Amino acid sequence: MSMIVLDMEWNQPVNPDSSLAVKLCTVLPFEIIQIGAVRLEDGARFKATCCLQQYKVLSPRISRLTGISRQDVKNGERFQDAMDRFRAFCGEDPILLTWGFNDIPILRQNLSFYGLDTAFTDRNYNLQIMFHLQHDPESPMRGLSFAVDFFQLQVEDSYHDGLNDAAYTAAVAAHIDIPKGIAEYPDYLKHFEGDGDPAFLDCLRYANYTRFESFESMIADRRIRVCDCPHCGGETESTDPIYPEAGRMVYTCKCPAHGEFLVRVSFKRNRDDSLRASRAVFPLDEAHQAQYKKAVEKAAKPRKEKKAPFTLYIDADGCPVINQALSAATKRRVPAFLICDTAHAFSRRGAETITVDKGADSADFTIVGKLQPGDLVITQDYGLAAMCLSRGARVIDQNGMRYTAENMDGLLASRAEAAKIRRSGGRIKGPAKRTAQQNEAFMQAFQDMIQEAYEAAKAAKEAAKAAKEAENG
């Protein structure tokens, strides 16, 4: 039996709303591109870089974070072959040790996706938990770099490299009583089924369930709605569920032999519109009774739907970033409208579509007519952008360029010059094929624009409040 310290790096889709990302979102959300490991018994090291077999484009953000280049993954081996070597390195009946909760579930997802056996990953423990309980129990869960500094270990290489991080983790492990940590490992982590949460250290059971086709099917599923006793496995009697906030369900259950428990279920939507849920079971002690009482009171209050104090308008004809924009807008609760003419009528989840008569300016005048100061607009039309700026809107193009009063004159002049060339029979070079980097640049700039709009709205609200208080005072 060997103890193997494991760390991995993984790629993810550049465009999470692409057809491939939606197809694989619940079975392979992350594709492993690097594996690093250290065997504690003899200090032997293992490293593998894997090629991209599913998400063919290396995310620029992942590349910057890890230092892994496109050429590295291009020259990498297949994940299946890397696993053959890794299994041989681990030996029989290994114990896998990680720092954090994510490596083992993601490793299992990748193994299952390629039809490989996952049994060798069954014995696994999170050294972050052991460090927390043995050396830093009064603080929140700490990162690996904190533990390295805590033990005054020498740092020579960068973090976010599979082998480097495994080596740092192994160095920290030398200061941890691992047999004691295994013996005292929190009970719910022994029944680990997915991403854990460090806030759940008093939890008795924690489980993830990854796919439900509808909300109704999810809450009707026995795994969600019924909780067997975490001590004896016997049936319990449950109260009716309450919903204190969006995405959360709470109820209590009672075992005749072992008493009452609090059950918290949180659920989120996958990118293919299916749902996933996580369920945590706690003892219904005094602290959790107070939590349940608070949840009951919150659920009883009438709710107002929260949404942004500004609206997004997308000039949808020919716009290549509609899905990305709506994904970001939905997460930030920004109401959205797609404006298109009758020749390009379509719809998207997360937005209301306004179809206008076909014509050169129909969509433009519709958008400008609806704009309020502070609203957001996505367009590649310089003329429309100029009109929107005059109405106090924030405007961006599909590549992440912000339109401003400073750059608008130059953009309009270039448009006029291009039109002049075309009228005289000349040709203007068309746009190059769209790249993943352009999509990422747009998303970063668009998310920054949403945050800017929220901060401006908050400042305006506070200024109005202060003015009213000054007037009344």
Side-chain angles (χ1 to χ4, degrees):
M1 179 184 70
S2 298
M3 288 193 179
I4 308 295
V5 173
L6 170 69
D7 187 84
M8 300 182 304
E9 307 297 337
W10 44 80
N11 189 38
Q12 61 191 70
V14 174
N15 178 6
D17 294 309
S18 67
S19 58
L20 178 62
V22 170
K23 178 182 177 182
L24 298 181
C25 65
T26 59
V27 292
L28 193 72
F30 307 104
E31 183 175 11
I32 292 172
I33 55 175
Q34 194 177 77
I35 306 162
V38 176
R39 192 163 54 220
L40 291 185
E41 285 71 23
D42 58 6
R45 296 188 173 196
F46 174 93
K47 185 171 184 178
T49 299
C50 302
C51 62
L52 298 176
Q53 300 182 73
Q54 304 304 321
Y55 300 119
K56 298 292 188 179
V57 177
L58 178 63
S59 165
R61 186 182 70 83
I62 297 299
S63 181
R64 289 194 300 270
L65 181 68
T66 64
I68 299 172
S69 68
R70 295 182 184 180
Q71 194 63 40
D72 290 333
V73 293
K74 183 178 180 180
N75 295 336
E77 62 188 304
R78 295 191 318 150
F79 171 78
Q80 300 93 311
D81 298 330
M83 276 296 105
D84 286 342
R85 295 198 300 113
F86 181 61
R87 290 289 303 275
F89 175 83
C90 291
E92 294 297 322
D93 195 25
I95 293 177
L96 301 183
L97 303 171
T98 63
W99 190 274
F101 289 106
N102 293 324
D103 293 81
I104 296 300
I106 290 175
L107 175 58
R108 286 174 172 167
Q109 285 176 334
N110 279 253
L111 289 167
S112 297
F113 183 83
Y114 291 108
L116 303 177
D117 186 19
T118 64
F120 82 100
T121 69
D122 287 347
R123 300 185 67 189
N124 66 85
Y125 297 93
N126 182 356
L127 288 170
Q128 185 184 35
I129 294 292
M130 296 185 191
F131 172 81
H132 172 79
L133 295 177
Q134 294 181 20
H135 295 282
D136 200 25
E138 301 303 321
S139 301
M141 211 64 69
R142 301 290 193 174
L144 177 58
S145 61
F146 177 90
V148 169
D149 293 340
F150 184 88
F151 294 120
Q152 299 182 348
L153 303 176
Q154 188 172 358
V155 177
E156 297 179 349
D157 299 304
S158 63
Y159 290 98
H160 297 296
D161 170 271
L163 183 54
N164 291 351
D165 285 359
Y168 289 134
T169 305
V172 170
H175 298 268
I176 294 175
D177 187 338
I178 295 178
K180 180 176 185 289
I182 291 176
E184 298 177 350
Y185 207 62
D187 184 64
Y188 88 95
L189 291 175
K190 297 175 184 176
H191 302 266
F192 187 57
E193 294 186 36
D195 287 348
D197 188 323
F200 289 167
L201 283 180
D202 57 348
C203 181
L204 300 174
R205 290 290 186 273
Y206 182 90
N208 271 0
Y209 306 102
T210 59
R211 187 181 181 86
F212 300 93
E213 295 304 326
S214 67
F215 178 77
E216 291 75 19
S217 65
M218 180 184 68
I219 62 174
D221 191 290
R222 188 184 187 281
R223 298 170 298 173
I224 302 300
R225 183 60 188 86
V226 177
C227 176
D228 294 332
C229 176
H231 297 296
C232 66
E235 292 187 3
T236 63
E237 182 178 346
S238 301
T239 60
D240 291 332
I242 59 173
Y243 300 90
E245 57 193 14
R248 192 155 71 93
M249 180 173 81
V250 179
Y251 60 93
T252 65
C253 62
K254 184 175 183 179
C255 170
H258 296 99
E260 293 182 282
F261 307 95
L262 174 68
V263 183
R264 296 202 317 232
V265 180
S266 61
F267 36 89
K268 295 182 179 180
R269 191 168 295 278
N270 296 317
R271 296 193 180 278
D272 62 353
D273 275 345
S274 63
L275 294 161
R276 64 185 185 275
S278 61
R279 191 193 70 179
V281 184
F282 302 87
L284 194 61
D285 52 22
E286 184 175 343
H288 289 104
Q289 284 177 348
Q291 289 184 16
Y292 182 65
K293 181 181 178 181
K294 185 176 180 180
V296 171
E297 293 172 349
K298 193 171 183 179
K301 293 180 179 179
R303 291 183 202 162
K304 293 182 179 179
E305 184 180 353
K306 293 183 179 180
K307 62 180 182 179
F310 47 86
T311 301
L312 168 65
Y313 295 93
I314 302 177
D315 183 11
D317 293 328
C319 180
V321 291
I322 292 174
N323 291 339
Q324 296 95 315
L326 292 182
S327 175
T330 299
K331 289 177 182 177
R332 299 300 303 272
R333 294 188 171 90
V334 181
F337 290 88
L338 303 178
I339 315 298
C340 60
D341 65 35
T342 53
H344 302 92
F346 55 88
S347 63
R348 292 289 191 279
R349 180 170 63 88
E352 181 178 337
T353 299
I354 299 177
T355 304
V356 300
D357 293 334
K358 185 177 180 181
D361 300 318
S362 297
D364 295 2
F365 290 138
T366 299
I367 292 174
V368 173
K370 290 181 172 294
L371 279 179
Q372 298 295 322
D375 285 344
L376 313 181
V377 179
I378 300 173
T379 183
Q380 51 191 315
D381 184 319
Y382 297 163
L384 173 58
M387 290 189 287
C388 294
L389 287 176
S390 71
R391 297 294 299 270
R394 293 177 170 82
V395 195
I396 193 172
D397 80 352
Q398 74 277 14
N399 298 323
M401 181 188 73
R402 288 287 295 272
Y403 295 99
T404 65
E406 288 72 26
N407 67 15
M408 185 50 64
D409 287 344
L411 293 172
L412 290 174
S414 67
R415 185 182 73 162
E417 182 62 27
K420 181 179 178 181
I421 293 172
R422 285 193 295 269
R423 284 195 302 269
S424 64
R427 298 182 63 182
I428 300 295
K429 186 178 179 180
K433 182 179 179 181
R434 189 164 184 81
T435 66
Q437 288 77 11
Q438 287 174 308
N439 287 337
E440 182 163 301
F442 166 79
M443 282 297 288
Q444 184 61 58
F446 182 58
Q447 289 168 345
D448 290 345
M449 189 168 74
I450 293 176
Q451 183 62 32
E452 177 186 305
Y454 264 112
E455 292 172 357
K458 180 180 179 181
K461 183 177 180 180
E462 292 174 349
K465 181 179 178 182
K468 186 175 181 179
E469 289 175 349
E471 182 182 344
N472 294 335

